[in-house]
Amino acid sequence: MPSVTWGVVQGKKEKLVNRVKICDYLKNLGIIPDELEGLELPSTVEVMEERVVFLQKLGLTVDDINEYPLMLGCSMRKNMIPVLGYLEKIGIQKLKLGEFVKNYPQVLHASVVVELMPVVKFLRGLDVEKQDLGYVLMKYPELLGFKLEGTMSTSVAYLVSIGVSPRDIGPMVTQYPYFLGMRVGTVIKPLVDYLVSLGLPIKILARMLEKRAYILGYDLEETVKPNVDCLVSFGIRRELLALVIAQFPQILGLPLKAKMSSQQYFFSLKLKIDPEGFARVVEKMPQVVSLNQHVILKPVEFLLRRGIPSADVANMVVKCPQLVACRVELMKNSYYFYKSEMGRPLKELVEFPEYFTYSLESRIKPRYQRLKSKGIRCSLNWFLNCSDQRFEERLQGDYIESESLGPSFCMGGKLELPGSEIVSDEEDESDDEVLYRRTVSL
């Protein structure tokens, strides 16, 4: 009679033999089995073959499996099929399941009920739309491996504490889910504190993050600080840095030195605008650092062809940088109306280049017709640079009020609007609210 341990010994030997066979099978496929040494493998080569074929049908190659060979330790029926079925159920397309596993193979080890479902429930609780879940997880599949009480919760709580609206967290996650994996103390808070130190009110910063959550992904030491230093080195005044950032937050994450150098040289060579003038242009319209130079040249060439001296065109661009982003077709229509209907000299256009930024059909024509019917002769600034209500008030008035500049921004003080001296102290708005209105209008 065999001893009691005979079956156990034989079982161990059989397992060892099967393990060797499985490793040989994987080696023949080009899969390196070294990392599987401490892992429990299936009992037969046939079962392993079934797993490999299943993964290959998903779209994974031998190289993909070699990147994370531990996926071969996952049971098809207990792990792979339930997990992939759930991922498809929450919105990941069947054709993209292979790509998802390739990007985050650890998901195959997860428990649907214990690990995956709570994360999905958390995302839905943040107001991530059901139809956006698949998109969010394809973008950042590692979310499925996070602990709910960890980084995700603290990053959301901090953003809400600085003024981000809770109802905007969902759209922020859809746009840039990576912030859920960022540590508050080492990544998010230092960036927020630095931007506030530049003079950016926390309320404006919160609004910026709601619309452009990807700002949180800009590296403070490697990108943001060097870009701010770059702006200063090119002549941007420190007191205007906050307004520049509020108008064009992407400027914090661009390869800025190269872009600024290229555009400054271009402005000097083609537009005859010196470095100081270029700095004033960037202060008023920072988007110019990313504008295609062919786009910039078109409206400039249009003005030059109208007989306006290059020095005057340069002054027009410095005064109203939005000119370089205007469509030439619209500028032509506005110019021909100006010359044929209004019959005004070019000098007035040079003094008020903002004329080209107004809509011909909805503002210039109707307002000019009203003035003409009343026999009123006034400057372009007087009848264009005001709201519809203000224009009506001016038409009803018995005199033409003295002209004043448009809104101006000064760090450390209030946004000064024409006529603001009549506002009582009780009616004053907070600095944050004033800058908010200015940023929205821009």
Side-chain angles (χ1 to χ4, degrees):
M1 295 287 290
S3 67
V4 177
T5 58
W6 181 83
V8 175
V9 172
Q10 285 298 102
K12 283 184 178 179
K13 284 183 180 179
E14 191 176 340
K15 277 186 178 180
L16 192 59
V17 170
N18 283 333
R19 192 175 189 91
V20 171
K21 288 181 180 178
I22 288 171
C23 289
D24 288 341
Y25 163 74
L26 294 175
K27 284 177 184 176
N28 288 335
L29 292 177
I31 298 170
I32 304 167
D34 296 356
E35 288 187 39
L36 303 177
E37 192 173 330
L39 202 68
E40 185 177 346
L41 297 180
S43 56
T44 64
V45 174
E46 289 74 25
V47 175
M48 178 57 79
E49 184 181 4
E50 190 181 31
R51 292 181 187 180
V52 172
V53 170
F54 182 82
L55 292 171
Q56 288 177 329
K57 281 183 178 178
L58 276 179
L60 272 70
T61 63
V62 168
D63 288 339
D64 296 329
I65 295 173
N66 275 327
E67 285 290 319
Y68 189 75
L70 296 178
M71 68 175 77
L72 294 173
C74 296
S75 162
M76 273 184 57
R77 288 159 189 81
K78 291 179 182 177
N79 299 98
M80 297 185 189
I81 292 174
V83 166
L84 296 175
Y86 181 70
L87 292 177
E88 191 176 352
K89 181 182 175 183
I90 61 175
I92 295 174
Q93 297 174 22
K94 193 170 187 177
L95 291 173
K96 292 189 175 181
L97 287 174
E99 183 186 342
F100 189 93
V101 173
K102 189 185 301 184
N103 293 333
Y104 186 57
Q106 295 88 337
V107 73
L108 294 177
H109 298 289
S111 161
V112 172
V113 175
V114 177
E115 293 168 281
L116 303 187
M117 289 178 72
V119 173
V120 170
K121 187 178 179 182
F122 177 80
L123 293 174
R124 291 286 290 124
L126 295 179
D127 278 346
V128 176
E129 298 292 339
K130 193 174 182 180
Q131 64 268 24
D132 292 331
L133 281 173
Y135 172 78
V136 169
L137 292 173
M138 279 298 297
K139 217 172 181 181
Y140 193 31
E142 289 85 354
L143 279 177
L144 291 173
F146 288 167
K147 301 294 182 186
L148 301 188
E149 66 278 4
T151 308
M152 288 200 292
S153 296
T154 53
S155 59
V156 170
Y158 177 74
L159 291 172
V160 171
S161 76
I162 66 170
V164 172
S165 171
R167 69 168 178 262
D168 284 311
I169 294 291
M172 285 174 67
V173 171
T174 304
Q175 179 197 120
Y176 190 77
Y178 308 102
F179 77 83
L180 290 176
M182 295 176 180
R183 293 188 177 277
V184 171
T186 57
V187 180
I188 301 178
K189 189 175 185 299
L191 177 63
V192 169
D193 289 346
Y194 177 71
L195 294 177
V196 169
S197 75
L198 295 177
L200 200 63
I202 197 74
K203 180 184 288 187
I204 304 301
L205 181 54
R207 299 293 85 77
M208 282 168 50
L209 294 177
E210 287 171 1
K211 303 301 178 189
R212 297 178 175 86
Y214 54 80
I215 295 169
L216 293 168
Y218 294 157
D219 188 280
L220 178 59
E221 299 299 332
E222 297 292 326
T223 306
V224 176
K225 285 183 178 180
N227 277 4
V228 170
D229 293 339
C230 176
L231 288 170
V232 174
S233 72
F234 274 86
I236 310 303
R237 290 168 287 184
R238 285 190 177 274
E239 62 269 22
L240 294 182
L241 285 172
L243 185 58
V244 168
I245 294 168
Q247 290 183 76
F248 188 49
Q250 298 95 312
I251 205 167
L252 295 172
L254 295 173
L256 195 57
K257 189 173 183 179
K259 284 184 175 289
M260 292 280 280
S261 299
S262 172
Q263 293 294 62
Q264 187 188 68
Y265 177 74
F266 172 78
F267 269 66
S268 175
L269 183 68
K270 297 291 186 180
L271 278 62
K272 310 303 178 190
I273 293 175
D274 61 20
E276 185 179 347
F278 175 70
R280 303 293 83 79
V281 168
V282 174
E283 287 173 354
K284 293 174 183 175
M285 190 177 113
Q287 293 88 343
V288 78
V289 302
S290 290
L291 267 185
N292 187 292
Q293 293 175 355
H294 294 297
V295 172
I296 294 172
L297 268 183
K298 286 180 181 179
V300 170
E301 289 173 344
F302 169 78
L303 294 172
L304 291 172
R305 287 197 296 268
R306 305 285 82 77
I308 302 175
S310 60
D312 286 342
V313 172
N315 288 331
M316 291 170 75
V317 171
V318 172
K319 187 176 181 183
C320 179
Q322 288 77 12
L323 275 180
V324 300
C326 289
R327 288 173 54 194
V328 173
E329 296 80 8
L330 299 180
M331 291 180 73
K332 280 182 182 177
N333 295 336
S334 297
Y335 178 78
Y336 292 133
F337 180 81
Y338 179 84
K339 292 298 289 181
S340 60
E341 295 293 326
M342 298 170 72
R344 297 189 176 214
L346 277 178
K347 183 185 174 186
E348 283 195 51
L349 272 184
V350 173
E351 292 172 351
F352 190 70
E354 293 90 341
Y355 169 83
F356 288 106
T357 67
Y358 294 106
S359 166
L360 177 63
E361 298 300 328
S362 64
R363 178 166 291 202
I364 298 173
K365 272 187 182 180
R367 290 193 181 186
Y368 176 71
Q369 298 299 341
R370 296 286 303 281
L371 290 175
K372 190 176 179 181
S373 66
K374 285 181 172 285
I376 297 175
R377 171 77 182 179
C378 62
S379 71
L380 296 173
N381 183 29
W382 189 86
F383 84 88
L384 290 176
N385 189 22
C386 60
S387 65
D388 289 338
Q389 182 181 344
R390 186 71 163 168
F391 179 68
E392 290 299 328
E393 290 172 357
R394 287 176 173 180
L395 288 183
Q396 303 303 324
D398 296 327
Y399 64 95
I400 296 180
E401 64 194 70
S402 60
E403 293 185 18
S404 58
L405 296 174
S408 62
F409 178 83
C410 178
M411 285 305 298
K414 292 194 181 300
L415 175 67
E416 298 296 339
L417 292 170
S420 61
E421 64 277 357
I422 63 173
V423 179
S424 67
D425 290 339
E426 290 75 18
E427 295 172 328
D428 280 355
E429 298 181 71
S430 69
D431 290 348
D432 288 4
E433 186 63 35
V434 168
L435 179 53
Y436 175 63
R437 286 195 291 102
R438 171 66 169 147
T439 307
V440 169
S441 71
L442 287 168

